């Protein structure tokens, strides 16, 4: 006994989406706007919560301050200057930005001046506050930062790049 003797001309890949679409129209409760009352015949007004105006305090715009220094002049990053900017509430971050190169002067060993730049100039200033950061490229003699890798890592950790100038220069020469 054959109940179905006729073939259906639609494939399953067409029937399933059509069935889903038909089911979605039958069970269309998910498409009701949330601000519409459950019963459309119920005309009781809905109460909205009373909004009290609140004054939000206007915070002053926080800015970043950039202070520049070089191998011969570090007056902009003196302790007095840094403490003055740290006391200002609208200053968010103070960036110490190097200018020029920091080549080893006569009378210093190759790694000695590099270590002095970190331990005597930069580290005491960054330890004043976490708001004091480095920015920019510190250009030392080639291969000098690799003599004391911990110093290079410390500088990078505090925001500076080390000898990026030499990398950029070598990339320009290879083009």
């Amino acid at each position: 006994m054959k109940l179905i003797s006729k073939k259906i001309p639609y494939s399953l890949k067409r029937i399933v989406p059509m069935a889903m679409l038909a089911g979605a129209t039958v069970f269309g409760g998910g498409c009701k706007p949330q601000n519409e009352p459950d019963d459309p015949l119920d005309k009781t007004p809905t109460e909205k919560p009373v909004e009290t105006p609140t004054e939000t305090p206007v915070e002053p715009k926080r800015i970043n301050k950039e202070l520049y220094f070089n191998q011969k002049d570090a007056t902009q990053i003196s302790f007095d200057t840094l403490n003055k900017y740290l006391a200002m509430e609208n200053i968010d971050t103070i960036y110490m930005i190097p200018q020029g190169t920091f080549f080893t002067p006569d009378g210093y060993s190759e790694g000695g001046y590099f270590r002095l730049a970190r331990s005597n100039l930069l580290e005491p200033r960054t330890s004043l506050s976490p708001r004091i950061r480095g920015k920019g490229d510190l250009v030392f003699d080639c291969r000098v930062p690799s003599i004391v890798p911990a110093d290079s890592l410390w500088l990078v950790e505090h925001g500076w790049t080390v000898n990026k100038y030499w990398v950029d220069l070598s990339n320009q020469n290879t083009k």
Side-chain angles (χ1 to χ4, degrees):
M1 176 159 104
K2 262 185 165 174
L3 293 176
I4 300 175
S5 61
K6 191 174 184 182
K7 288 188 176 182
I8 299 174
Y10 293 105
S11 67
L12 284 178
K13 68 180 181 182
R14 290 186 181 162
I15 291 176
V16 171
M18 288 184 351
M20 290 173 60
L21 184 61
T25 58
V26 171
F27 301 106
C31 295
K32 183 178 72 170
Q34 290 183 357
N35 58 358
E36 190 175 294
D38 290 334
D39 184 13
L41 299 176
D42 185 17
K43 299 296 182 191
T44 57
T46 57
E47 290 186 28
K48 292 184 179 178
V50 178
E51 295 182 17
T52 57
T54 58
E55 291 186 25
T56 56
V58 178
E59 292 185 23
K61 184 178 178 184
R62 299 192 54 91
I63 59 172
N64 296 329
K65 183 68 180 169
E66 295 182 347
L67 303 175
Y68 297 91
F69 67 98
N70 60 40
Q71 186 170 1
K72 300 194 184 326
D73 182 22
T75 55
Q76 278 197 18
I77 60 169
S78 69
F79 288 105
D80 293 336
T81 305
L82 291 173
N83 285 324
K84 178 182 82 170
Y85 287 121
L86 285 172
M88 295 180 181
E89 292 182 15
N90 66 331
I91 303 284
D92 187 33
T93 305
I94 301 168
Y95 289 107
M96 297 188 297
I97 303 173
Q99 291 182 321
T101 60
F102 290 81
F103 292 150
T104 305
D106 293 336
Y108 288 93
S109 65
E110 277 196 342
Y113 185 72
F114 181 67
R115 183 166 269 297
L116 283 174
R118 174 199 164 180
S119 60
N120 290 351
L121 180 67
L122 302 174
E123 191 169 7
R125 285 156 176 80
T126 55
S127 64
L128 286 175
S129 169
R131 292 171 40 203
I132 299 175
R133 304 272 309 148
K135 185 178 183 181
D137 187 30
L138 284 162
V139 182
F140 292 98
D141 293 314
C142 285
R143 296 178 305 276
V144 169
S146 62
I147 294 172
V148 187
D151 289 340
S152 297
L153 293 173
W154 184 89
L155 291 169
V156 170
E157 180 181 306
H158 285 84
W160 288 284
T161 57
V162 178
N163 284 357
K164 184 175 179 284
Y165 168 80
W166 297 115
V167 174
D168 293 343
L169 187 65
S170 68
N171 287 341
Q172 286 177 358
N173 290 338
T174 58
K175 288 182 181 180

